[in-house]
Amino acid sequence: MRFATGMVLIDAPHSALNMLGIDESLADRNVTRVKTLKRGGRRYPYVSPQAWRYWWRFTLKEHFNWELSPLYREQKQVFTAANPLKYPDDDVFGYMRAFKKSGINVTVTRVSPLKNTPLISILPDRNSLTVDEGYASRHEGDPVPYSQEFYSTVFKGAFSLDLDSVGRFTIIGKAGFKNLLTWDDVPKDKNGNPKKGTEDVVKEIEEMEKIAEELGVERNDKEWLMPSKIRKKRATEAIKALRFLTGGAKQTQYHTDVTPKFVLLLNIDAGINPFISDIVFEESGEIRFDAEALAKRLTELKTVIPEGTKLYIGYDAGFVRSLGWNVDDIAKTVKKEGIEVFTGTIGEVIEKFAGEIEAYYG
């Protein structure tokens, strides 16, 4: 099993990228809060994981022409088409469609090959959060006061893309692994033909089989496997999209560039991510990087780091200068432990890393 893992830092010098909404606990209800979480005795602003995934999907649509899976609503549920052959985002981001159609259980679920954390502020709220006091005065009458929180911080997020699962669809009767409907899901009459009322389900299965035939999908009783060319394209484009990441709330007022300004990338033969905890941290109001901790962590994981792979460190020169980091020193510290390192701009390292992913698929 091979996973493309990574960590990104997003600079948010004056931002409100994912708001909680109006604070209903206040009598005048005119304060808009940002989302925060508590760790120890401190609170930290964050961007929800689903918001980051929304940005990611949108970027793939805008920059790589991905045809996104349409959304449907059934009672209180919203779900996609659950067609990972036709829609690459259903493949990479997974889905859950759990309901009955014409009395037939058409539940299919797919564990997302792409997993990501929330984007969490490295600085606590006391060092990053402020409140803007404003007045709405474009109408007749007295101005209306309102307040909204925003922050100045750096967000850290981590992700892991399961390369073996991209383009591989299982048909196992287990939550997360029954990715597709099959003919066994269709009730039959006494002659063995689909019963009346099953036309929609039959149509979905026939369409899926037609697409599979056109694309050259390998099929057996337990799984369908797309051609390597398609799997490679989807996996590499999912990673390359990070370079062009677009999204976030309040852009008209705060205009934040959410493309990563620092990335760590590594292919690893295990479902773990070495970048999630505390190699980037706050100390006395400053953002620090613990290269020794990273080097020791990667040393511990050497047995699952594939031979010939590298740790990729991508950075924006202005960003690391503002933090006082020396990327060459970070690379030297990691190299001392026998880990190969490649450093460069964000674009350079993402392209190089994508090359490793392509080579994995052959």
Side-chain angles (χ1 to χ4, degrees), residues 28 48 74 95 186 200 257 296 315 325 337 340 356:
D28 49 8
S48 69
E74 185 74 20
Y95 48 81
V186 182
D200 287 347
D257 173 14
K296 289 179 181 176
Y315 64 98
W325 295 0
E337 300 297 331
E340 291 189 62
E356 275 195 15

Side-chain angles (χ1 to χ4, degrees), residues 45-245:
Y46 74 93
V47 173
S48 69
Q50 61 268 29
W52 186 13
R53 292 170 76 82
Y54 177 79
W55 303 352
W56 212 324
R57 264 191 164 99
F58 180 79
T59 303
L60 284 161
K61 173 178 177 287
E62 291 296 307
H63 290 275
F64 296 93
N65 297 316
W66 279 27
E67 182 182 1
L68 299 186
S69 185
L71 295 174
Y72 301 95
R73 181 165 185 170
E74 185 74 20
Q75 297 177 346
K76 293 184 178 181
Q77 295 184 49
V78 175
F79 46 84
T80 67
N83 185 338
L85 279 76
K86 182 176 182 179
Y87 302 109
D89 61 321
D90 272 348
D91 179 4
V92 173
F93 291 84
Y95 48 81
M96 182 175 73
R97 184 187 69 183
F99 75 104
K100 291 185 177 180
K101 183 187 289 186
S102 302
I104 304 169
N105 186 356
V106 292
T107 297
V108 285
T109 57
R110 173 167 171 77
V111 176
S112 173
L114 178 63
K115 299 168 179 62
N116 61 277
T117 67
L119 296 168
I120 300 175
S121 169
I122 297 169
L123 300 175
D125 63 348
R126 71 185 184 193
N127 289 339
S128 61
L129 198 63
T130 189
V131 180
D132 177 56
E133 306 286 354
Y135 291 90
S137 56
R138 296 176 62 188
H139 59 286
E140 292 186 5
D142 296 334
V144 176
Y146 67 93
S147 302
Q148 61 182 16
E149 294 180 335
F150 72 102
Y151 38 70
S152 177
T153 190
V154 172
F155 285 102
K156 184 182 81 170
F159 66 88
S160 175
L161 178 62
D162 183 346
L163 300 183
D164 289 305
S165 290
V166 174
R168 183 188 298 274
F169 313 119
T170 53
I171 311 170
I172 300 171
K174 178 181 174 184
F177 294 89
K178 183 169 172 51
N179 299 160
L180 306 170
L181 290 180
T182 69
W183 290 110
D184 291 339
D185 299 306
V186 182
K188 309 292 193 306
D189 61 21
K190 61 183 180 181
N191 296 318
N193 298 316
K195 284 185 174 180
K196 286 186 177 179
T198 64
E199 290 80 5
D200 287 347
V201 179
V202 168
K203 183 179 178 183
E204 178 177 328
I205 295 172
E206 289 178 340
E207 181 185 5
M208 204 79 72
E209 291 187 335
K210 181 182 177 184
I211 296 171
E213 186 69 26
E214 292 171 351
L215 295 178
V217 174
E218 295 177 24
R219 289 183 280 173
N220 61 45
D221 291 341
K222 296 294 182 183
E223 69 174 27
W224 292 16
L225 185 66
M226 299 192 84
S228 294
K229 181 180 177 182
I230 296 175
R231 301 175 71 201
K232 181 191 303 184
K233 183 175 186 295
R234 290 180 176 183
T236 55
E237 288 182 349
I239 298 300
K240 289 179 180 179
L242 286 169
R243 185 180 175 189
F244 306 107
L245 201 63

Side-chain angles (χ1 to χ4, degrees), residues 32-44:
T32 305
R33 302 286 192 197
V34 301
K35 292 181 178 179
T36 60
L37 59 83
K38 194 170 184 179
R39 184 182 185 187
R42 297 179 176 181
R43 300 199 72 84
Y44 296 82

